[in-house]
Amino acid sequence: MRTQVAIVGGGPAGLLLSHLLHLQGIDSVVLERRSQEHVQQRVRAGVLEQGTVDLLREVGVGERMLREGDRHEGVHVQFDEERLHIPFTELTGRAITVYGQQEVVKDLNERRRADGGQVLFEVDDVAVHDVTSDNPSVTFTHDGVAQVLHADFVAGCDGFHGVCRDTIPPDVRRVYERVYPFGWLGILAEVAPSTDELIYANNERGFALHSMRSATISRFYLQCAPDEPLDNWPDQRIWDELGTRLAAPGWKLQEGPIIERSVTAMRSFVAEPLRHGRLFLAGDSAHIVPPTGAKGLNLAVADVDRLAEALADHYRTGSDAGLDEYSAKCLERVWRVQHFSWWMTSMTHRFEGPDHDFDRRLQRSQFDYLRSSTAAATTLAENYVGMPLR
């Protein structure tokens, strides 16, 4: 097999990159180890920055998102029972859209299929070779047949547990990591949202977040131990804890059947550089952010948007300037987002230890500053809605 760009990973990053390249007349093949059904059913991030929304609309895969997505022009930040509204659109002129990552994947898969794109699901034994040569390749097994895919470039969009990042030699790659001492218990419930905007709540008992997926499905998160057994959280305990941590005067939490629950560890991770020879990393294969800032999917979109433009420039003009600066430019955004996600996490979560009371007073001060300062509120809003893609 031969293509111009071999893309390892058929999640949102890989599929969007393939679509963007197609619009530039560049061939690609996407290799995904999971089934199409699995990829389209994974419940992941649901907050899309303004830049992500604009890009998906501009490249022809945003019709259903605009029709079914839930546009939000602000967010609620809460300390104990005091709730503060941060008006995104008023402060920045931009907004966010709540639309599940799995829905983005469905839209991209349908578009790639309609355009005749090559997306191979359920591939095994993927390995990347010769990325520092002019003829890199990817070997894999599909339908029991061993194959070799030759390409001009390889894009590693295969997530944190993929194979592409480890292709970069340890003496070339540097890793930065922070593991937080807590996790998130994520809950999906068949109940209408009890709020007009997302609520980030800092309570003495720990962090809570009220989000939503649709007019009838709500998404909740509770700070918990990173290795918390799910058996410790029967339905009524979940609702009682959410009711306590999200409590505010005159507000009531609606309860309903819980249809999904899981525990996610909290971590920050960056692998530098994002390029080695003709291999380019994008999305979770290169970086992980705590979900507090809702940036994971949006960072992946920014990566592949920049990579697609750099590859298009290479094929169109012969210039490699965009490819040469890809890693450095992406990392500028990655570290800005890492800082914002750390800041949001530090402001909203309970930290145990001898400094707990001191930390809590700092969090209280930050909340008061957001309430009293338009500049402080604008900083939060500007980072949350996202910087322009370019």
Side-chain angles (χ1 to χ4, degrees):
M1 298 178 65
R2 176 81 200 181
T3 190
Q4 290 173 289
V5 182
I7 301 174
V8 183
L15 291 171
L16 179 57
L17 176 59
S18 181
H19 177 60
L20 294 173
L21 294 175
H22 167 75
L23 295 179
Q24 298 280 3
I26 300 169
D27 293 331
S28 66
V29 175
V30 180
L31 307 175
E32 168 58 45
R33 69 185 181 94
R34 301 283 194 171
S35 68
Q36 181 173 345
E37 292 72 24
H38 178 89
V39 174
Q40 293 185 170
Q41 291 171 5
R42 287 183 296 195
V43 177
R44 291 291 189 270
V47 174
L48 305 182
E49 294 177 354
Q50 183 73 63
T52 298
V53 171
D54 292 344
L55 177 65
L56 293 176
R57 184 186 68 247
E58 290 166 7
V59 300
V61 289
E63 181 180 347
R64 192 165 70 92
M65 172 194 66
L66 295 176
R67 185 174 65 249
E68 300 179 10
D70 193 6
R71 177 181 166 90
H72 288 261
E73 298 188 347
V75 70
H76 297 293
V77 179
Q78 184 170 323
F79 190 91
D80 288 336
E81 295 190 358
E82 298 179 53
R83 189 172 294 175
L84 171 67
H85 184 248
I86 307 293
F88 293 160
T89 307
E90 177 184 325
L91 294 171
T92 71
R94 289 173 283 162
I96 60 167
T97 296
V98 175
Y99 187 66
Q101 174 175 309
Q102 71 274 17
E103 304 304 324
V104 175
V105 170
K106 291 175 187 176
D107 296 341
L108 288 167
N109 262 322
E110 183 165 335
R111 183 58 189 266
R112 294 307 298 128
R113 186 168 53 248
D115 291 340
Q118 295 188 74
V119 182
L120 304 182
F121 292 95
E122 299 181 80
V123 302
D124 296 313
D125 307 318
V126 175
V128 180
H129 310 274
D130 303 322
V131 296
T132 57
S133 75
D134 293 335
N135 186 32
S137 64
V138 182
T139 55
F140 63 97
T141 302
H142 186 240
D143 290 338
V145 179
Q147 301 190 50
V148 181
L149 175 62
H150 295 278
D152 299 331
F153 300 96
V154 178
C157 304
D158 51 344
F160 183 76
H161 298 290
V163 302
C164 288
R165 184 176 65 250
D166 289 340
T167 301
I168 303 177
D171 61 333
V172 175
R173 185 180 74 234
R174 184 167 183 181
V175 169
Y176 303 86
E177 187 171 17
R178 167 173 286 174
V179 178
Y180 290 86
F182 40 73
W184 274 15
L185 172 64
I187 304 105
L188 205 63
E190 290 183 335
V191 61
S194 304
T195 177
D196 57 337
E197 309 276 19
L198 282 72
I199 305 172
Y200 284 79
N202 180 333
N203 185 270
E204 177 61 34
R205 295 179 61 86
F207 168 79
L209 170 61
H210 185 345
S211 183
M212 59 285 292
R213 286 296 178 266
S214 71
T216 59
I217 300 292
S218 294
R219 185 74 164 158
F220 301 94
Y221 297 95
L222 286 167
Q223 179 182 349
C224 64
D227 55 353
E228 187 84 23
L230 288 177
D231 291 344
N232 288 355
W233 290 92
D235 289 12
Q236 196 53 56
R237 184 190 176 194
I238 289 174
W239 289 117
D240 290 346
E241 197 65 28
L242 285 169
T244 298
R245 297 190 194 184
L246 292 166
W251 181 82
K252 180 176 176 58
L253 176 67
Q254 302 299 319
E255 302 179 8
I258 295 175
I259 57 178
E260 181 182 299
R261 74 195 75 197
S262 62
V263 173
T264 302
M266 297 276 284
R267 72 190 312 172
S268 295
F269 176 91
V270 180
E272 298 185 9
L274 276 62
R275 178 191 184 179
H276 182 60
R278 290 184 170 234
L279 169 66
F280 296 83
L281 302 180
D284 287 358
S285 65
H287 40 71
I288 299 288
V289 291
T292 324
K295 295 302 180 187
L297 173 59
N298 296 291
L299 261 187
V301 169
D303 287 349
V304 298
D305 177 57
R306 181 172 293 278
L307 180 56
E309 184 62 26
L311 288 167
D313 199 35
H314 166 84
Y315 285 111
R316 184 173 56 245
T317 70
S319 171
D320 285 343
L323 295 175
D324 291 340
E325 68 179 14
Y326 168 76
S327 180
K329 288 295 185 182
C330 286
L331 286 168
E332 288 179 7
R333 188 184 194 95
V334 167
W335 282 110
R336 170 88 297 275
V337 167
Q338 288 286 5
H339 180 268
F340 176 67
S341 299
W342 163 83
W343 180 79
M344 284 285 289
T345 302
S346 300
M347 182 177 66
T348 55
H349 286 67
R350 176 185 172 90
F351 289 83
E352 303 290 350
D355 296 330
H356 168 71
D357 291 341
F358 185 85
D359 291 340
R360 187 106 174 111
R361 296 296 290 175
L362 291 179
Q363 292 171 336
R364 173 81 237 188
S365 175
Q366 182 62 62
F367 179 82
D368 291 341
Y369 185 40
L370 286 173
R371 182 172 53 190
S372 63
S373 169
T374 300
T378 301
T379 295
L380 190 156
E382 185 177 64
N383 281 273
Y384 202 98
V385 300
M387 300 173 289
L389 288 178
R390 307 216 193 100

